[in-house]
Amino acid sequence: GQSCRDRIKILRDEGFFDAKRSGPEIVKGLEKKGWTHNNNQVQASLSSMFPAGEIQRMKDGGSFKYYYDRVK
């Protein structure tokens, strides 16, 4: 099956991260596809995707917002 990271990449490739998204927004975006992942799973995936250049992030108050504006 697909991992949480794989599924986040699918959302990314569909343009979901054209807007800056919080962790809970990403959880909801996955749920809309029928994929259930909790915030901990999503955060763990994002924390490995960011250093690999698979997602971008910016500090927003006390948390991060994730986005992707690079050419695919």
Side-chain angles (χ1 to χ4, degrees), residues 15-47:
F16 181 80
F17 291 100
D18 291 353
K20 291 174 176 63
R21 305 288 188 167
S22 67
E25 288 174 308
I26 298 165
V27 171
K28 286 190 179 95
L30 292 165
E31 283 174 357
K32 283 183 183 159
K33 294 264 194 196
W35 299 326
T36 306
H37 293 282
N38 66 37
N39 198 50
N40 290 347
Q41 291 169 305
V42 169
Q43 291 301 328
S45 297
L46 292 167
S47 67

Side-chain angles (χ1 to χ4, degrees), residues 2-18:
Q2 294 170 318
S3 67
C4 182
R5 184 177 180 157
D6 292 336
R7 290 170 171 174
I8 292 171
K9 287 184 197 175
I10 291 168
L11 288 181
R12 179 197 69 194
D13 294 344
E14 291 175 347
F16 181 80
F17 291 100
D18 291 353

